[in-house]
Amino acid sequence: MFQQFTQCIQRTYSSKPIAQDASGSRGDGGFTLMETIIAVGIFTVGVVSVISLINSVISSLGVSQERVIAANLAQEGIEIVRAVRDTNWIVDLSYNDGLADTTYCVEYSDLKAGMQVGPGGACLLYQDGNGIFSHASDGGPATPFSRLITITSDVDSSANPFLRIESEVTWNSNTFTVEDHLYDWK
Amino acid sequence: MTGSNRFEKGFTLIELVVALGVFSIVMMIAFGAFLGALRAQRVTFAEHSVSQETRFALEFMSRQLRVASQDGGGGGSMVCLDASNSTPRVFDVGAGEIQFLNGREECVRFFFDDGTGTIRYENPAGGTAYDLTSPTGVTVESLQFTIRGNTNADDEQPRVMINLTARGLGGEEEEAARLTTQTTVTVRTLDLP
């Protein structure tokens, strides 16, 4: 046993005996082409998967930043509709005046004027030189974001009527929706 | 014995040059990928802290603006807003700042500090001003407020639009991480005449 081991050591570390008596044996020939291709193939698969993982993480982080913008824009849509309802109360109109069941483009600077759009309307948002988001196309370049408000009148389980407000912000095939229910309760 | 044996010959010059060439090309590609990943990581960290700070600042301001109350109503004198204008109203807005009575009837002023690139808040009657965004985390570039329905006589519910632009702090990569967010807050207390 021990003899075999020392022989093995000798074979490994002294080049002369191997060169002389083991020429042509498999241990001498290096790697075959097949072995090399398989080894390189495995290595490549590993590297490619790591790189694609890094890429997908980076792009999903970009989306998460866009979601922060979208969430705030969607909330803005809800708040503007809420301001319309509250103003209706102040001026003694019905709480849902001007808030019929359809789709709307709402603007931080508008009250009711020109809000309604037909079904399937695109409410693309533009950004002016000060970074303000609005639907005014003359303000500046278009952003990837669109915001469409859908109002549906509904009745809850206690037969109280309410307006279901859905504020949907879409961008590059992503969507962020906020839903709120507005009642005629002051 | 020596020289004739293949295993003692060493490498030829051509072999050495080819091997070094291949090695250096592989290393250059690997290094390029590594540097690219490092840069992407710095941008990612900056974007993360920018969204984090933006979310917090907007949430903090929205929460207080939502429950703002009217100042100078019922013939009373101004408690918080500019007394030279006696019209009862909810907000005083300037460039990058807003002042109002919050839900606890405390006078609050949110303002953009251009010098430190932060949003800060204070009680304008005196006391310390506090940072709302971290001066070591992000640089705020602009803060804008636009109001509607501010006075009691305008028959409109008060609302505030907040627009905030912030960018990362550090090198060129961090500065590229810029975020502009906008939201609107409608005051919850009904502004009845």
Side-chain angles (χ1 to χ4, degrees), chain A residues 15-16 18-20 28 51 54 57-58 61-62 64-66 68-73 75-80 82-84 86-87 89-91 107-111 127 130-134 147 180 186, chain B residues 1 5 7-8 33 36-37 40-41 44 46-48 50-51 54-55 58 66 142 144 146 148 155-159 161-163 165 177-193:
Chain A
S15 59
K16 276 185 212 163
I18 293 174
Q20 279 163 357
D28 223 12
I51 289 177
I54 291 173
V57 166
I58 288 168
L61 279 159
S64 86
Q65 198 170 30
E66 287 162 355
V68 174
I69 303 177
N72 282 297
L73 288 174
Q75 183 60 32
E76 177 176 74
I78 297 282
E79 295 282 331
I80 291 166
R82 197 188 182 94
V84 173
D86 291 0
T87 303
W89 281 335
I90 292 171
V91 294
E107 194 91 273
Y108 76 94
S109 58
D110 273 354
L111 197 71
Q127 223 175 350
N130 292 321
I132 308 279
F133 289 90
S134 77
R147 178 181 57 208
D180 198 10
K186 288 173 206 176
Chain B
M1 233 205 200
N5 191 320
F7 289 89
E8 287 187 0
Q41 189 207 30
T44 302
E47 281 181 351
H48 181 77
V50 168
S51 2
T54 301
R55 278 209 330 251
L58 282 179
R66 204 163 273 147
S142 85
Q144 300 169 75
T146 306
R148 268 189 77 99
D155 283 344
E156 197 180 320
Q157 184 66 12
R159 69 191 205 216
M161 185 273 282
I162 314 167
N163 186 292
T165 302
R178 182 176 275 98
L179 182 67
T180 301
T181 27
Q182 174 179 322
T183 197
T184 294
V185 178
T186 298
V187 173
R188 293 298 187 257
T189 332
L190 208 56
D191 189 31
L192 287 168

XYZ file of all heavy atoms in Angstrom, chain A residues 15-16 18-20 28 51 54 57-58 61-62 64-66 68-73 75-80 82-84 86-87 89-91 107-111 127 130-134 147 180 186, chain B residues 1 5 7-8 33 36-37 40-41 44 46-48 50-51 54-55 58 66 142 144 146 148 155-159 161-163 165 177-193:
768
model
N 9.247 14.088 -13.778
C 8.789 14.037 -15.158
C 9.479 12.928 -15.958
O 8.896 12.385 -16.871
C 9.022 15.386 -15.830
O 10.392 15.677 -15.781
N 10.674 12.590 -15.549
C 11.429 11.650 -16.390
C 10.773 10.284 -16.531
O 10.526 9.841 -17.650
C 12.861 11.477 -15.845
C 13.769 12.576 -16.356
C 15.177 12.303 -15.916
C 15.932 13.590 -15.672
N 17.122 13.347 -14.873
N 7.746 9.327 -16.132
C 6.474 9.403 -16.854
C 6.731 9.525 -18.343
O 6.169 8.802 -19.155
C 5.655 10.614 -16.364
C 5.217 10.385 -14.925
C 4.437 10.826 -17.237
C 4.533 11.539 -14.284
N 7.646 10.420 -18.680
C 7.912 10.651 -20.095
C 8.443 9.394 -20.759
O 8.135 9.123 -21.907
C 8.909 11.782 -20.245
N 9.182 8.653 -19.926
C 9.801 7.494 -20.566
C 8.870 6.307 -20.666
O 8.697 5.732 -21.730
C 11.063 7.078 -19.783
C 12.225 7.952 -20.181
C 13.355 7.881 -19.177
O 13.256 7.215 -18.148
N 14.433 8.573 -19.479
N -1.418 11.398 -19.923
C -0.360 12.186 -20.534
C -0.866 13.128 -21.611
O -0.220 14.089 -21.972
C 0.609 11.190 -21.190
C 2.015 11.598 -20.914
O 2.178 12.478 -20.051
O 2.901 11.029 -21.545
N -24.682 36.977 -15.043
C -24.814 38.294 -15.663
C -26.277 38.632 -15.916
O -26.726 39.746 -15.662
C -23.985 38.353 -16.967
C -22.495 38.374 -16.601
C -24.340 39.587 -17.794
C -21.573 38.356 -17.771
N -27.894 39.714 -12.691
C -27.531 41.092 -12.338
C -28.369 42.076 -13.156
O -28.929 43.036 -12.628
C -26.026 41.320 -12.568
C -25.213 40.514 -11.543
C -25.673 42.796 -12.470
C -23.729 40.531 -11.786
N -31.987 42.287 -11.972
C -32.093 43.011 -10.697
C -32.039 44.518 -10.950
O -32.845 45.289 -10.419
C -30.973 42.583 -9.730
C -30.864 43.545 -8.573
C -31.223 41.177 -9.219
N -31.089 44.930 -11.820
C -30.935 46.359 -12.095
C -32.187 46.914 -12.764
O -32.698 47.969 -12.385
C -29.683 46.601 -12.958
C -28.427 46.385 -12.103
C -29.685 48.005 -13.544
C -27.160 46.325 -12.889
N -35.059 47.340 -10.371
C -34.902 48.491 -9.488
C -35.316 49.771 -10.198
O -35.872 50.673 -9.592
C -33.464 48.595 -8.984
C -33.193 47.665 -7.813
C -31.721 47.382 -7.662
C -33.748 48.268 -6.541
N -35.053 49.835 -11.518
C -35.515 50.988 -12.300
C -37.025 51.080 -12.267
O -37.589 52.159 -12.087
N -38.931 49.988 -9.920
C -39.398 50.371 -8.586
C -39.355 51.877 -8.399
O -40.189 52.448 -7.711
C -38.591 49.665 -7.508
O -37.433 50.392 -7.201
N -38.394 52.548 -9.056
C -38.354 54.011 -8.969
C -39.533 54.620 -9.743
O -40.143 55.587 -9.286
C -37.038 54.533 -9.513
C -36.764 55.946 -9.065
C -35.367 56.394 -9.383
O -34.775 55.939 -10.352
N -34.828 57.278 -8.588
N -39.868 54.022 -10.894
C -41.015 54.513 -11.656
C -42.316 54.291 -10.886
O -43.254 55.066 -10.999
C -41.081 53.811 -13.022
C -40.002 54.285 -13.970
C -39.766 53.343 -15.133
O -40.382 52.260 -15.159
O -38.954 53.704 -16.006
N -42.691 54.622 -7.724
C -42.844 55.713 -6.762
C -43.550 56.891 -7.433
O -44.483 57.476 -6.878
C -41.467 56.162 -6.208
C -41.601 57.382 -5.334
C -40.815 55.034 -5.435
N -43.127 57.225 -8.670
C -43.769 58.311 -9.420
C -45.225 57.953 -9.682
O -46.129 58.750 -9.443
C -43.028 58.548 -10.758
C -41.556 58.859 -10.502
C -43.684 59.673 -11.535
C -40.747 59.036 -11.764
N -45.460 56.729 -10.168
C -46.809 56.304 -10.538
C -47.745 56.323 -9.331
O -48.894 56.773 -9.438
C -46.769 54.912 -11.152
N -47.256 55.867 -8.177
C -48.105 55.828 -6.988
C -48.551 57.232 -6.597
O -49.716 57.452 -6.255
C -47.352 55.174 -5.835
N -47.621 58.186 -6.668
C -47.973 59.558 -6.311
C -48.924 60.182 -7.316
O -49.840 60.916 -6.938
C -46.709 60.406 -6.160
C -46.014 60.151 -4.844
O -46.569 60.409 -3.790
N -44.815 59.605 -4.894
N -48.718 59.894 -8.602
C -49.618 60.432 -9.635
C -51.020 59.832 -9.484
O -52.024 60.532 -9.632
C -49.063 60.143 -11.029
C -47.836 60.955 -11.449
C -47.299 60.455 -12.784
C -48.168 62.435 -11.546
N -52.411 58.721 -6.726
C -53.011 59.324 -5.536
C -53.494 60.743 -5.851
O -54.548 61.175 -5.381
C -51.990 59.330 -4.388
C -52.515 59.873 -3.079
C -53.699 59.077 -2.550
O -53.793 57.859 -2.760
N -54.638 59.754 -1.893
N -52.721 61.462 -6.673
C -53.118 62.819 -7.074
C -54.475 62.792 -7.772
O -55.341 63.626 -7.499
C -52.060 63.424 -8.010
C -52.428 64.802 -8.523
C -51.329 65.432 -9.367
O -51.132 65.007 -10.523
O -50.664 66.332 -8.857
N -54.692 61.804 -8.654
C -55.963 61.677 -9.360
C -57.128 61.539 -8.395
O -58.159 62.209 -8.530
N -56.959 60.678 -7.374
C -58.009 60.472 -6.370
C -58.308 61.773 -5.624
O -59.457 62.164 -5.428
C -57.559 59.381 -5.359
C -57.358 58.042 -6.053
C -58.531 59.292 -4.199
C -58.602 57.274 -6.369
N -57.245 62.468 -5.233
C -57.402 63.693 -4.438
C -58.124 64.780 -5.224
O -58.879 65.569 -4.664
C -56.024 64.206 -3.987
C -55.297 63.275 -3.028
C -55.822 63.350 -1.593
O -56.317 64.413 -1.195
O -55.745 62.326 -0.901
N -57.886 64.836 -6.543
C -58.538 65.865 -7.355
C -60.038 65.579 -7.445
O -60.862 66.485 -7.300
C -57.872 65.952 -8.747
C -56.450 66.517 -8.597
C -58.684 66.850 -9.673
C -55.589 66.354 -9.819
N -61.743 64.010 -5.261
C -62.233 64.308 -3.926
C -62.495 65.808 -3.762
O -63.500 66.214 -3.171
C -61.185 63.855 -2.907
C -61.719 63.734 -1.540
C -60.605 63.477 -0.534
N -61.226 63.337 0.768
C -61.578 62.161 1.282
N -61.322 61.053 0.648
N -62.179 62.114 2.440
N -61.585 66.637 -4.299
C -61.760 68.090 -4.229
C -63.013 68.516 -4.984
O -63.717 69.438 -4.560
C -60.527 68.789 -4.804
N -63.308 67.835 -6.104
C -64.519 68.152 -6.872
C -65.753 67.842 -6.026
O -66.688 68.643 -5.932
C -64.545 67.368 -8.202
C -65.871 67.566 -8.913
C -63.398 67.801 -9.106
N -65.993 67.635 -2.688
C -66.065 68.554 -1.549
C -66.546 69.930 -1.987
O -67.314 70.589 -1.288
C -64.690 68.672 -0.876
C -64.284 67.388 -0.159
O -65.082 66.429 -0.198
O -63.183 67.347 0.411
N -66.098 70.369 -3.174
C -66.524 71.665 -3.688
C -68.009 71.644 -4.021
O -68.720 72.623 -3.791
C -65.677 72.040 -4.918
O -64.311 72.038 -4.529
C -66.049 73.411 -5.450
N -70.253 70.084 -2.347
C -70.914 70.317 -1.064
C -70.894 71.804 -0.708
O -71.899 72.357 -0.272
C -70.197 69.531 0.044
C -70.534 68.089 0.094
C -71.681 67.494 -0.355
C -69.743 67.045 0.651
N -71.647 66.145 -0.117
C -70.466 65.838 0.508
C -68.493 66.998 1.266
C -69.984 64.615 0.955
C -68.011 65.789 1.710
C -68.741 64.598 1.551
N -69.748 72.433 -0.900
C -69.591 73.837 -0.507
C -70.572 74.716 -1.274
O -71.167 75.630 -0.723
C -68.124 74.300 -0.731
C -67.203 73.567 0.249
C -67.995 75.803 -0.562
C -65.732 73.779 -0.018
N -70.756 74.423 -2.567
C -71.643 75.257 -3.369
C -73.054 74.651 -3.478
O -73.818 75.014 -4.369
C -71.063 75.507 -4.780
C -69.799 76.325 -4.695
C -70.799 74.198 -5.502
N -56.610 67.179 -13.766
C -55.446 68.066 -13.768
C -55.343 68.729 -12.390
O -56.351 69.140 -11.849
C -55.701 69.129 -14.835
C -54.517 69.917 -15.227
C -53.821 69.260 -16.412
O -52.993 68.386 -16.145
O -54.086 69.645 -17.551
N -54.132 68.848 -11.879
C -53.983 69.482 -10.565
C -54.499 70.911 -10.570
O -54.928 71.437 -9.562
C -52.502 69.464 -10.139
C -51.641 70.481 -10.855
C -51.413 71.741 -10.293
C -51.082 70.202 -12.088
C -50.656 72.676 -10.957
C -50.327 71.137 -12.756
C -50.120 72.375 -12.187
O -49.369 73.314 -12.847
N -54.480 71.561 -11.746
C -54.821 72.980 -11.811
C -56.256 73.224 -12.260
O -56.685 74.366 -12.314
C -53.868 73.676 -12.780
O -53.967 73.059 -14.042
N -57.006 72.173 -12.580
C -58.363 72.351 -13.097
C -59.399 71.943 -12.074
O -59.159 71.107 -11.223
C -58.584 71.452 -14.328
C -58.152 72.138 -15.596
O -57.802 73.328 -15.522
O -58.149 71.474 -16.646
N -60.596 72.490 -12.206
C -61.720 71.980 -11.452
C -62.834 71.728 -12.456
O -63.390 72.654 -13.015
C -62.154 72.967 -10.374
C -63.025 72.330 -9.306
C -62.232 71.394 -8.419
C -63.706 73.387 -8.469
N -44.547 66.841 -19.092
C -43.803 67.481 -18.017
C -43.235 68.798 -18.541
O -42.525 68.806 -19.549
C -42.663 66.565 -17.577
C -42.491 66.492 -16.091
C -41.453 65.499 -15.677
O -40.968 64.704 -16.475
N -41.084 65.529 -14.428
N -40.465 73.069 -15.475
C -40.267 73.033 -14.030
C -40.487 71.637 -13.457
O -40.495 71.461 -12.240
C -41.226 74.008 -13.352
C -40.881 75.450 -13.668
O -39.713 75.811 -13.727
N -41.907 76.258 -13.909
N -40.727 70.655 -14.338
C -40.923 69.291 -13.864
C -42.344 68.988 -13.447
O -42.615 67.940 -12.879
N -43.280 69.919 -13.709
C -44.680 69.722 -13.305
C -45.381 68.785 -14.289
O -45.305 68.970 -15.501
C -45.437 71.065 -13.282
C -44.679 72.107 -12.455
C -46.876 70.882 -12.819
C -44.869 72.023 -10.984
N -46.075 67.767 -13.749
C -46.832 66.827 -14.590
C -48.223 67.394 -14.873
O -48.923 67.798 -13.940
C -47.014 65.494 -13.868
C -45.747 64.686 -13.731
C -44.925 64.841 -12.627
C -45.400 63.760 -14.700
C -43.769 64.086 -12.496
C -44.253 63.001 -14.570
C -43.437 63.164 -13.468
N -48.615 67.426 -16.158
C -49.978 67.831 -16.502
C -50.338 67.227 -17.850
O -49.497 66.638 -18.516
C -50.101 69.351 -16.554
O -49.544 69.821 -17.759
N -52.557 58.734 -17.101
C -53.427 58.550 -15.932
C -54.883 58.677 -16.345
O -55.309 59.714 -16.827
C -53.106 59.572 -14.851
C -54.026 59.431 -13.626
C -53.725 60.455 -12.562
N -53.813 61.805 -13.070
C -53.115 62.827 -12.578
N -52.284 62.642 -11.592
N -53.247 64.025 -13.098
N -60.656 54.322 -4.586
C -61.215 54.987 -3.411
C -62.725 55.036 -3.562
O -63.235 55.022 -4.690
C -60.632 56.404 -3.282
C -60.827 56.963 -1.883
O -61.240 56.203 -0.982
O -60.561 58.160 -1.674
N -70.769 64.090 4.915
C -69.852 65.181 5.213
C -69.143 64.932 6.532
O -69.700 64.389 7.434
C -70.626 66.498 5.266
C -71.062 66.917 3.871
C -71.980 68.147 3.891
C -72.854 68.108 2.654
N -73.829 69.182 2.603
N 19.936 14.025 -23.464
C 18.755 13.915 -22.614
C 17.991 15.236 -22.580
O 16.819 15.305 -22.841
C 19.210 13.543 -21.191
C 18.448 12.305 -20.727
S 18.383 12.292 -18.980
C 18.052 10.602 -18.642
N 13.839 16.087 -25.036
C 12.591 15.696 -24.367
C 11.549 16.819 -24.446
O 11.817 17.964 -24.071
C 12.893 15.399 -22.888
C 11.716 14.735 -22.211
O 10.578 15.108 -22.454
N 12.015 13.745 -21.384
N 9.002 17.411 -22.685
C 8.560 17.975 -21.405
C 9.582 18.908 -20.792
O 9.327 19.524 -19.792
C 8.212 16.846 -20.425
C 6.946 16.156 -20.829
C 6.971 15.069 -21.689
C 5.723 16.637 -20.394
C 5.815 14.460 -22.073
C 4.548 16.022 -20.778
C 4.597 14.930 -21.620
N 10.743 19.039 -21.357
C 11.742 19.928 -20.777
C 12.029 21.104 -21.669
O 12.852 21.947 -21.372
C 13.035 19.160 -20.516
C 12.891 18.237 -19.331
C 14.195 17.602 -18.964
O 15.186 17.893 -19.643
O 14.212 16.826 -18.007
N -16.695 43.998 -17.575
C -17.975 43.590 -17.002
C -18.023 43.941 -15.523
O -19.032 44.426 -15.009
C -18.183 42.095 -17.193
N -18.469 47.688 -15.078
C -19.852 48.034 -15.416
C -20.795 47.700 -14.278
O -21.674 48.489 -13.927
N -20.590 46.530 -13.682
C -21.446 46.116 -12.573
C -21.260 47.041 -11.374
O -22.219 47.400 -10.691
C -21.134 44.669 -12.183
N -23.131 50.230 -12.112
C -24.578 49.991 -11.998
C -24.992 49.910 -10.538
O -26.052 50.403 -10.147
C -24.950 48.709 -12.721
N -24.127 49.328 -9.717
C -24.448 49.201 -8.308
C -24.497 50.557 -7.616
O -25.386 50.820 -6.804
C -23.400 48.297 -7.639
C -23.768 47.929 -6.221
C -22.558 47.630 -5.393
O -21.488 48.193 -5.636
N -22.717 46.767 -4.416
N -27.675 52.215 -8.619
C -28.785 51.557 -7.935
C -28.915 52.026 -6.487
O -30.003 52.336 -6.022
C -28.584 50.042 -7.982
O -28.495 49.652 -9.347
C -29.725 49.308 -7.337
N -27.876 54.833 -5.259
C -28.316 56.233 -5.262
C -29.811 56.322 -5.536
O -30.534 57.039 -4.843
C -27.528 57.021 -6.296
N -30.280 55.548 -6.537
C -31.714 55.569 -6.866
C -32.543 55.125 -5.669
O -33.598 55.686 -5.383
C -32.005 54.631 -8.050
C -31.649 55.231 -9.385
C -31.976 54.296 -10.542
O -32.322 53.131 -10.294
O -31.875 54.756 -11.688
N -32.026 54.117 -4.978
C -32.747 53.608 -3.822
C -32.910 54.686 -2.757
O -34.003 54.915 -2.249
C -32.004 52.403 -3.257
C -32.671 51.785 -2.081
N -33.775 50.983 -2.209
C -32.419 51.878 -0.758
C -34.161 50.594 -1.008
N -33.358 51.125 -0.112
N -32.689 57.900 -3.135
C -33.502 59.005 -3.635
C -34.988 58.673 -3.495
O -35.769 59.478 -2.985
C -33.148 59.346 -5.104
C -34.176 60.278 -5.709
C -31.776 59.980 -5.184
N -35.405 57.460 -3.914
C -36.840 57.135 -3.774
C -37.251 57.068 -2.315
O -38.335 57.499 -1.947
C -37.252 55.835 -4.464
O -36.218 55.186 -5.057
N -37.554 60.644 -0.981
C -38.687 61.310 -1.613
C -40.001 60.831 -1.015
O -40.878 61.629 -0.681
C -38.671 61.022 -3.127
O -37.450 61.484 -3.666
C -39.814 61.710 -3.823
N -40.127 59.510 -0.890
C -41.356 58.941 -0.340
C -41.619 59.461 1.060
O -42.731 59.846 1.408
C -41.266 57.415 -0.312
C -41.583 56.756 -1.611
C -42.173 55.361 -1.461
N -41.727 54.647 -0.275
C -40.903 53.603 -0.301
N -40.448 53.164 -1.429
N -40.567 53.000 0.811
N -42.585 63.312 1.010
C -43.936 63.544 0.488
C -44.992 63.053 1.479
O -46.005 63.716 1.710
C -44.126 62.839 -0.861
C -43.513 63.526 -2.079
C -43.753 62.694 -3.323
C -44.092 64.924 -2.270
N -53.008 67.516 4.742
C -54.356 66.955 4.655
C -55.253 67.482 5.765
O -56.445 67.664 5.582
C -54.237 65.433 4.763
C -55.367 64.674 4.156
C -54.981 63.231 3.935
N -54.318 63.031 2.662
C -53.364 62.137 2.454
N -52.934 61.371 3.427
N -52.824 62.011 1.263
N -35.411 70.868 -6.279
C -36.496 71.850 -6.269
C -37.690 71.312 -5.518
O -37.888 70.095 -5.405
C -36.895 72.233 -7.690
O -37.825 71.318 -8.201
N -41.830 72.553 -5.180
C -42.824 73.538 -5.612
C -44.186 73.195 -5.032
O -44.572 72.034 -4.971
C -42.937 73.530 -7.149
C -41.637 73.874 -7.849
C -41.717 73.586 -9.347
O -42.343 74.312 -10.091
N -41.108 72.494 -9.759
N -48.317 74.387 -5.428
C -49.332 75.169 -6.130
C -50.654 74.908 -5.419
O -50.997 73.751 -5.153
C -49.447 74.731 -7.600
O -48.160 74.799 -8.190
C -50.390 75.646 -8.364
N -54.962 75.701 -4.790
C -56.257 76.131 -5.327
C -57.225 76.208 -4.166
O -57.091 75.483 -3.186
C -56.780 75.105 -6.343
C -56.403 75.368 -7.769
C -57.166 74.410 -8.674
N -58.556 74.857 -8.813
C -59.013 75.542 -9.856
N -58.214 75.823 -10.851
N -60.268 75.921 -9.911
N -65.374 79.565 -2.614
C -66.301 78.450 -2.823
C -65.620 77.228 -3.437
O -66.155 76.594 -4.344
C -67.475 78.880 -3.723
C -68.491 79.704 -2.949
O -68.428 79.667 -1.700
O -69.321 80.366 -3.587
N -64.446 76.919 -2.963
C -63.747 75.749 -3.483
C -62.958 75.100 -2.360
O -62.374 75.786 -1.523
C -62.803 76.169 -4.627
C -62.358 75.003 -5.477
C -61.419 75.430 -6.602
O -61.655 76.484 -7.213
O -60.449 74.701 -6.840
N -62.942 73.774 -2.370
C -62.187 73.048 -1.343
C -60.690 73.251 -1.567
O -60.206 73.101 -2.692
C -62.552 71.559 -1.411
C -61.926 70.695 -0.361
C -62.415 71.014 1.049
O -63.386 71.740 1.242
N -61.720 70.495 2.036
N -59.933 73.622 -0.517
C -58.492 73.870 -0.705
C -57.732 72.594 -1.068
O -58.036 71.512 -0.560
C -58.018 74.369 0.667
C -59.248 74.670 1.426
C -60.344 73.842 0.866
N -56.750 72.740 -1.952
C -55.876 71.607 -2.264
C -54.498 72.121 -2.644
O -54.336 73.240 -3.101
C -56.467 70.734 -3.364
C -56.505 71.356 -4.737
C -57.360 70.479 -5.638
N -57.001 70.622 -7.040
C -57.901 70.589 -8.027
N -59.168 70.446 -7.759
N -57.511 70.697 -9.274
N -50.792 71.107 -4.607
C -49.991 70.218 -5.438
C -48.537 70.360 -4.963
O -48.037 71.465 -4.782
C -50.119 70.615 -6.910
C -49.409 69.679 -7.867
S -47.695 70.114 -8.095
C -47.855 71.475 -9.221
N -47.895 69.229 -4.735
C -46.491 69.222 -4.321
C -45.674 68.574 -5.431
O -46.017 67.491 -5.897
C -46.256 68.398 -3.037
C -47.295 68.710 -1.979
C -44.859 68.606 -2.503
C -47.301 67.709 -0.842
N -44.616 69.240 -5.852
C -43.723 68.672 -6.866
C -42.308 68.733 -6.308
O -41.855 69.775 -5.848
C -43.838 69.476 -8.162
C -43.050 68.860 -9.298
O -41.827 68.841 -9.265
N -43.744 68.374 -10.314
N -38.175 67.413 -6.771
C -37.104 66.793 -7.552
C -35.886 66.601 -6.657
O -35.441 67.530 -5.990
C -36.710 67.674 -8.761
O -37.857 67.890 -9.560
C -35.642 66.991 -9.608
N -28.930 59.698 -10.861
C -30.142 59.130 -10.252
C -31.047 60.262 -9.794
O -31.018 60.688 -8.650
C -29.766 58.228 -9.069
N -31.835 60.763 -10.741
C -32.698 61.917 -10.455
C -34.158 61.484 -10.510
O -34.542 60.682 -11.354
C -32.436 63.019 -11.482
C -33.229 64.286 -11.254
C -32.850 65.373 -12.237
N -31.685 66.129 -11.804
C -30.454 65.925 -12.213
N -30.197 65.001 -13.091
N -29.465 66.659 -11.768
N -34.961 61.992 -9.582
C -36.368 61.579 -9.509
C -37.246 62.800 -9.275
O -37.012 63.564 -8.348
C -36.541 60.575 -8.365
C -37.928 59.989 -8.151
C -38.328 59.106 -9.313
C -37.965 59.193 -6.859
N -38.237 62.991 -10.160
C -39.229 64.048 -9.953
C -40.562 63.399 -9.668
O -41.058 62.607 -10.462
C -39.346 64.947 -11.198
O -38.080 65.514 -11.460
C -40.347 66.056 -10.968
N -41.126 63.708 -8.497
C -42.424 63.139 -8.139
C -43.398 64.270 -7.873
O -43.019 65.360 -7.466
C -42.333 62.274 -6.869
O -41.268 62.745 -6.089
C -42.135 60.838 -7.205
N -44.662 63.971 -8.110
C -45.698 64.986 -7.907
C -46.936 64.337 -7.328
O -47.323 63.239 -7.731
C -46.035 65.634 -9.258
C -47.189 66.603 -9.203
C -47.452 67.236 -10.550
O -46.523 67.540 -11.287
N -48.714 67.430 -10.882
N -47.531 65.005 -6.371
C -48.807 64.529 -5.857
C -49.646 65.719 -5.432
O -49.148 66.838 -5.350
C -48.612 63.512 -4.714
O -49.816 62.791 -4.526
C -48.198 64.175 -3.436
N -50.928 65.468 -5.206
C -51.836 66.533 -4.783
C -52.545 66.076 -3.527
O -52.823 64.890 -3.363
C -52.851 66.845 -5.899
O -52.156 67.401 -7.010
C -53.901 67.843 -5.444
N -52.787 67.014 -2.618
C -53.470 66.710 -1.370
C -54.675 67.622 -1.242
O -54.550 68.835 -1.394
C -52.526 66.926 -0.165
C -53.265 66.664 1.123
C -51.307 66.051 -0.274
N -55.849 67.042 -1.013
C -57.050 67.832 -0.758
C -57.269 67.877 0.743
O -57.204 66.850 1.413
C -58.267 67.190 -1.443
O -58.027 67.179 -2.846
C -59.527 67.967 -1.164
N -57.506 69.083 1.262
C -57.711 69.251 2.704
C -58.989 68.529 3.116
O -60.001 68.582 2.428
C -57.769 70.753 3.047
C -58.155 70.955 4.508
C -56.433 71.409 2.756
N -58.943 67.792 4.234
C -60.080 66.983 4.656
C -61.179 67.806 5.304
O -62.350 67.518 5.147
C -59.609 65.879 5.617
C -58.718 64.836 4.930
C -59.484 64.132 3.829
N -58.746 63.014 3.251
C -58.121 63.038 2.089
N -58.107 64.145 1.360
N -57.493 61.977 1.613
N -60.820 68.826 6.097
C -61.845 69.653 6.738
C -62.561 70.465 5.674
O -61.921 71.113 4.853
C -61.201 70.631 7.742
O -60.013 70.053 8.232
C -62.146 70.982 8.850
N -63.896 70.421 5.706
C -64.657 71.114 4.670
C -64.566 72.628 4.879
O -64.775 73.135 5.972
C -66.114 70.645 4.734
C -66.886 70.703 3.420
C -66.174 69.910 2.344
C -68.286 70.175 3.624
N -64.235 73.332 3.798
C -63.998 74.770 3.841
C -65.305 75.519 3.590
O -65.457 76.239 2.611
C -62.954 75.112 2.754
C -62.466 76.537 2.842
O -62.422 77.074 3.958
O -62.126 77.106 1.793
N -66.284 75.334 4.493
C -67.607 75.939 4.282
C -67.553 77.447 4.530
O -66.856 77.893 5.436
C -68.637 75.294 5.226
C -69.049 73.868 4.863
C -69.833 73.244 6.000
C -69.861 73.852 3.580
N -68.298 78.216 3.745
C -68.276 79.662 3.932
C -68.979 80.070 5.228
O -69.848 79.368 5.677
C -69.019 80.201 2.711
C -69.713 79.075 2.081
C -69.107 77.811 2.572
